[in-house]
Amino acid sequence: MTTTEAPEVDKASLHTHRKSAANVAFTGLSTFAASLILILLAAVAAFLLTNAWPALSMGSAALAEKVSWIKPDQGQSLFQVTGYLIFGTVLISVIALLIATPLSIGIALFISHYAPRRLAAGLGYIIDLLAAVPSVVYGLWGSMVLLPVVQPFYQWLGSTLGWIPLFAPDPTTGDVSPTGRVALSAGIVLAIMIIPIITAVTREVFLQTPKLHEEAALAMGATRWEMIRMAVFPFGRSGIIGATMLGLGRALGETMAIYMILSSGLSFSWNILQSGKHNTIASYIAGQFPEANQTGVSALIAMGLALFVITLLVNMAARWVVSRRSEFSGAN
């Protein structure tokens, strides 16, 4: 009897051993993959800090002798130029966010709750395809197609609402920029680029709304809009915020489209219809990097470090907002 049961015991122990080995291997692989993200993030931060330190530790006068675009006598030290660029980056990104967020929410609502199933599938596919279009294509389209179209609208804004600082014309010419290469144009193109990201995430959050919640609202006599306002929006509020912050993170780091559209300048100006007033960190680095010497590269990396910190803070804020309502929302 012992001879017949022994093979069965051996098979059971072998199966248990293999299962245990597979669990250990999978746990180790998962831990390594999760740790790799932190290692890469720390490596990027260390690279930026190490290479930016020579410029950060150098005085403005010594830095100006080696870097042509650092001009302390004109109020353009490294920190002042970086401040101008941070202001321009945030301003253009906020413009893009103000345009893209309501459009993205409207598109996501139409796809998830209004459009027929076949039409919703096609629209979702088209929206997802927009995210695959290279930024260079958006830049070409914006500079060659969009700018001539919006220029008459800018003229109307300047003449009608010029008393508002945002739309004020140039005091020297009394008119808005004749080229249209202004912060508002960059914000419009950037908004089109981040619409797919915000729409895709928001659409999935809306689709996760429990059907019982929606049916209960409709059974109480609510209209479709009232059902969306009472059931869908509260359930997906943190998801909408998270999607918006993801779009903002994408907008902060955009380079080529801004470089091809915006007439660059350095100032803390709120005039979004005047050219030569704003620039972004990524666009400025792309423009200065080809001709920069070793010290200039260090100064540009210092600007990249500032962009890295801003983007990190934006994503941390988004994660904090989402986690606050993760227990009773569709964010997860």
Side-chain angles (χ1 to χ4, degrees), residues 259 283-293 297 300:
Y259 184 75
S283 176
Y284 192 84
I285 292 175
Q288 297 291 340
F289 187 80
E291 299 179 358
N293 54 23
V297 170
L300 294 176

Side-chain angles (χ1 to χ4, degrees), residues 157-203:
L157 280 179
S159 59
T160 306
L161 302 176
W163 51 274
I164 302 176
L166 284 175
F167 309 124
D170 192 336
T172 58
T173 62
D175 201 357
V176 299
S177 173
T179 62
R181 298 183 177 276
V182 294
L184 183 56
S185 299
I188 293 174
V189 174
L190 209 54
I192 298 173
M193 296 178 66
I194 65 175
I195 280 177
I197 301 173
I198 303 177
T199 301
V201 177
T202 306
R203 178 189 64 203

Side-chain angles (χ1 to χ4, degrees), residues 107 146 269:
I107 296 171
L146 179 67
S269 174

Side-chain angles (χ1 to χ4, degrees), residues 6 92 164 201 211 243 311:
I92 294 174
I164 302 176
V201 177
K211 293 298 180 183
T311 307

Side-chain angles (χ1 to χ4, degrees), residues 5-327:
E5 293 181 354
E8 295 181 0
V9 174
D10 293 340
K11 289 181 179 180
S13 61
L14 181 61
H15 177 71
T16 303
H17 176 72
R18 289 179 177 176
K19 187 176 180 180
S20 176
N23 288 336
V24 171
F26 182 75
T27 302
L29 183 62
S30 302
T31 304
F32 172 75
S35 303
L36 184 60
I37 300 298
L38 298 177
I39 293 173
L40 290 175
L41 187 64
V44 171
F47 164 79
L48 293 174
L49 283 171
T50 302
N51 289 273
W53 183 250
L56 293 174
S57 60
M58 192 178 298
S60 297
L63 190 61
E65 295 178 357
K66 299 181 179 181
V67 182
S68 60
W69 42 269
I70 298 296
K71 303 173 182 178
D73 56 332
Q74 299 180 13
Q76 294 185 3
S77 65
L78 176 60
F79 295 100
Q80 288 169 321
V81 172
T82 304
Y84 293 143
L85 295 176
I86 291 175
F87 176 82
T89 301
V90 174
L91 177 64
I92 294 174
S93 299
V94 169
I95 293 173
L97 212 61
L98 291 176
I99 298 173
T101 301
L103 290 175
S104 300
I105 294 175
I107 296 171
L109 272 180
F110 180 76
I111 294 175
S112 61
H113 287 82
Y114 286 94
R117 182 173 300 179
R118 291 184 178 179
L119 179 59
L123 284 176
Y125 180 71
I126 292 174
I127 293 297
D128 292 339
L129 280 180
L130 287 176
V133 177
S135 59
V136 175
V137 176
Y138 281 111
L140 288 172
W141 173 81
S143 60
M144 300 180 65
V145 177
L146 179 67
L147 295 185
V149 173
V150 298
Q151 183 57 30
F153 175 66
Y154 292 168
Q155 298 286 346
W156 177 84
L157 280 179
S159 59
T160 306
L161 302 176
W163 51 274
I164 302 176
L166 284 175
F167 309 124
D170 192 336
T172 58
T173 62
D175 201 357
V176 299
S177 173
T179 62
R181 298 183 177 276
V182 294
L184 183 56
S185 299
I188 293 174
V189 174
L190 209 54
I192 298 173
M193 296 178 66
I194 65 175
I195 280 177
I197 301 173
I198 303 177
T199 301
V201 177
T202 306
R203 178 189 64 203
E204 295 303 319
V205 171
F206 288 164
L207 289 174
Q208 291 182 28
T209 305
K211 293 298 180 183
L212 290 178
H213 292 188
E214 299 180 0
E215 293 172 358
L218 294 173
M220 294 290 291
T223 63
R224 182 176 295 187
W225 165 245
E226 290 173 339
M227 178 271 293
I228 291 173
R229 184 166 55 86
M230 293 186 298
V232 178
F233 280 164
F235 181 81
R237 184 178 294 118
S238 59
I240 296 173
I241 296 173
T244 304
M245 291 300 176
L246 285 177
L248 178 59
R250 170 71 174 85
L252 289 171
E254 177 51 39
T255 304
M256 288 309 301
I258 304 298
Y259 184 75
M260 299 171 68
I261 292 173
L262 188 63
S263 176
S264 62
L266 297 173
S267 69
F268 291 115
S269 174
W270 292 97
N271 308 125
I272 61 175
L273 295 182
Q274 297 180 20
S275 59
K277 297 291 186 180
H278 310 95
N279 206 344
T280 65
I281 296 176
S283 176
Y284 192 84
I285 292 175
Q288 297 291 340
F289 187 80
E291 299 179 358
N293 54 23
Q294 184 175 0
T295 306
V297 170
S298 178
L300 294 176
I301 292 177
M303 296 178 179
L305 177 63
L307 181 60
F308 176 80
V309 172
I310 294 172
T311 307
L312 195 63
L313 291 176
V314 167
N315 284 276
M316 290 174 61
R319 186 60 189 171
W320 176 74
V321 171
V322 170
S323 63
R324 286 182 60 197
R325 296 178 56 87
S326 59
E327 296 181 358

